[in-house]
Amino acid sequence: MPADYRYSVIPAGAITDPRLCLRDLQVLALLGRHNHKGGWMYRNQTKMGAEIGKGRRTINRAIKRLVDAGWVEKRLRGIGKTVPVPGAQPFASHYYRVIMDNSVPPEP
């Protein structure tokens, strides 16, 4: 881990969210290290996977669960100065933002 990362900011409610697994929380913590510039960041899934010893597909599945649970928001990232076109760029990268004030569903 690079020395310039001293902490990660993640929402406390995500820790006890029953919809998430430990891998999801690990990915959320990776994203939480970059929680600046209004919260939006660009993170390469392959590089994130390398940081925790997992593949891009594992990161992608965790991000999908985090988005579905409402803890992460993602936006399509354009290429260069090109405006992103949903559906036309199936393998395009995304910007991510950790949602700090999501509500946790009540206990079953």
Side-chain angles (χ1 to χ4, degrees):
M1 178 169 84
D4 58 341
Y5 297 124
R6 293 188 57 217
Y7 59 88
S8 174
V9 178
I10 66 168
I15 296 166
T16 56
D17 189 332
R19 299 170 293 180
L20 303 180
C21 68
L22 292 176
R23 182 71 59 218
D24 302 337
L25 293 175
Q26 192 174 24
V27 171
L28 185 62
L30 280 175
L31 292 173
R33 293 191 312 188
H34 302 276
N35 201 6
H36 58 286
K37 297 182 183 177
W40 289 101
M41 74 213 69
Y42 166 71
R43 295 287 294 142
N44 179 296
Q45 291 182 2
T46 301
K47 289 179 182 177
M48 288 175 65
E51 290 179 278
I52 61 172
K54 298 296 175 186
R56 189 199 65 78
R57 286 183 53 189
T58 298
I59 302 299
N60 188 277
R61 286 191 300 261
I63 288 173
K64 181 178 180 343
R65 285 189 295 270
L66 290 163
V67 169
D68 290 346
W71 295 109
V72 170
E73 184 178 357
K74 79 178 188 179
R75 288 187 185 164
L76 191 60
R77 182 174 179 242
I79 299 168
K81 293 188 178 187
T82 304
V83 176
V85 180
Q89 297 170 307
F91 301 106
S93 58
H94 291 83
Y95 286 109
Y96 302 102
R97 182 171 71 99
V98 175
I99 307 296
M100 299 305 291
D101 296 317
N102 184 0
S103 61
V104 177
E107 293 291 321

